[in-house]
Amino acid sequence: MKHQGRLTAGDYEALADLRYSIRRFRQFSAKEADKLGLKPQQHQALLAIKGLPSSRQMTARMLAERLLMTGRLVDDLIQQLIDEGYVEAGPSTVGRAKHVIRLTPKAEDALDRLASAHLFEIRKMAPELMQSLRVLQDRQKMQHMTWML
């Protein structure tokens, strides 16, 4: 862990504000997913699949990496999503992967609804998030400049 000098009260305040904003957004996201009967991890998985460039196909290994999960846990998650009709697993049409995960129309519909709500919330929170990040970035620049003197 690299660290430059002692943190100031302003550093702690900015970090606390940023973490608070992130927690509020995560709570918002979980509530929105719950309204559609999805668990937060299920929503994150669907978004990871949808967000993959169209030239690629999602595999279980890739999904585990994107969600920072172990293979066994992601296999269970994929099975839940299959059982609930959100994804299908099938043979790959490109690349070397044997099995890929595809969204169903049910998942596409859920993501459309969730994405709209999330983008609205992010746009609402953006000024606050950007301010916290700016404060942290400015403090780092100031510390770096003092180290150079």
Side-chain angles (χ1 to χ4, degrees):
M1 181 165 57
K2 192 172 182 180
H3 146 359
Q4 296 178 346
R6 296 190 62 76
L7 297 178
T8 67
D11 292 326
Y12 283 109
E13 183 179 336
L15 283 169
D17 287 346
L18 179 62
R19 293 299 304 242
Y20 173 64
S21 295
I22 292 168
R23 279 191 305 277
R24 280 188 16 240
F25 181 75
R26 288 177 53 118
Q27 183 179 44
F28 163 83
S29 182
K31 285 180 182 178
E32 289 299 308
D34 187 55
K35 288 178 187 177
L36 298 181
L38 286 166
K39 296 176 187 141
Q41 251 182 350
Q42 291 174 318
H43 171 222
Q44 291 169 22
L46 297 179
L47 185 58
I49 297 165
K50 180 71 174 179
L52 196 64
S54 60
S55 61
R56 300 182 67 198
Q57 294 181 320
M58 185 61 77
T59 64
R61 177 181 282 180
M62 290 168 61
L63 187 59
E65 182 181 316
R66 295 291 296 189
L67 299 179
L68 305 174
M69 296 175 74
T70 64
R72 178 71 184 141
L73 288 175
V74 87
D75 288 343
D76 291 344
L77 177 59
I78 291 167
Q79 190 57 55
Q80 287 173 3
L81 291 168
I82 289 171
D83 292 346
E84 294 177 23
Y86 288 104
V87 300
E88 301 169 334
S92 175
T93 57
V94 296
R96 296 179 297 181
K98 291 182 183 175
H99 299 286
V100 295
I101 305 148
R102 293 182 185 88
L103 299 176
T104 64
K106 179 180 179 180
E108 296 279 359
D109 181 57
L111 281 171
D112 284 347
R113 294 170 66 187
L114 287 167
S116 294
H118 280 72
L119 286 173
F120 179 82
E121 187 68 13
I122 287 170
R123 288 178 180 131
K124 192 169 81 174
M125 293 179 73
E128 176 184 326
L129 286 166
M130 289 171 31
Q131 177 60 27
S132 295
L133 291 170
R134 249 190 310 279
V135 167
L136 291 168
Q137 185 179 34
D138 290 348
R139 290 187 182 286
Q140 183 200 17
K141 284 180 186 175
M142 288 174 52
Q143 284 180 346
H144 181 70
M145 288 173 55
T146 14
W147 278 81
M148 292 175 58
L149 296 177

